[in-house]
Each structure stands twice: as C-alpha cells, then as structure tokens.
Amino acid sequence: MRKPLLEREGLPEELFAPLMAAAVYDPDPSFCRWFVEPALYAFGRRRVLSALVDRLRTGTDAERAGAVRA
C-alpha cells in the first residue's frame, strides 16, 4: 500500500484524514510510518505534525498513545 502512495506526486485532500487515522490507530509502531511518510510527502511536515499534536491534546488515551507511536 505504501509504494503506490509514495510514487504519486500528490495525494487528494480527502486522503489526509484517513492516513492520519490509520497512523494513529495502527497498533504496531513499525507500521505507522507506512501512513505517515506518504502524508509527509503529499501534505507537508507542518500539517502532519500539527495533526498528530492535535491528537495528543484532544484525543482519547488510545489516540494519544497512537499519536506518540506515529
């Protein structure tokens, strides 16, 4: 799944939220980067980090733990 996302120049805006959710909810920390890296390339570091920090501030305990892993 990661390779096709990385090979594209850009990603549609509607993929940002699902990529961030997948990174946060994936229980295996070694796979979080499969979702974070394409988001970084397509949407930028600032936006991705802002979304993860927002989860740290307002998320449930499980979402906070997922944001830290991501």
Side-chain angles (χ1 to χ4, degrees):
M1 177 177 149
R2 180 176 159 212
K3 187 176 179 182
L5 291 174
L6 290 174
E7 289 175 348
R8 296 183 64 165
E9 256 184 61
L11 295 175
E13 181 64 33
E14 58 267 7
L15 286 182
F16 181 74
L19 283 172
M20 291 292 88
V24 168
Y25 290 114
D26 192 328
D28 188 344
S30 64
F31 290 114
C32 291
R33 76 184 288 178
W34 287 24
F35 306 109
V36 173
E37 282 182 357
L40 285 171
Y41 294 133
F43 303 107
R45 183 179 189 91
R46 181 178 298 235
R47 184 167 178 199
V48 170
L49 291 177
S50 176
L52 292 173
V53 168
D54 186 50
R55 291 283 179 134
L56 284 171
R57 290 183 179 152
T58 62
T60 64
D61 288 342
E63 289 173 336
R64 288 178 184 149
V68 168
R69 285 191 304 267

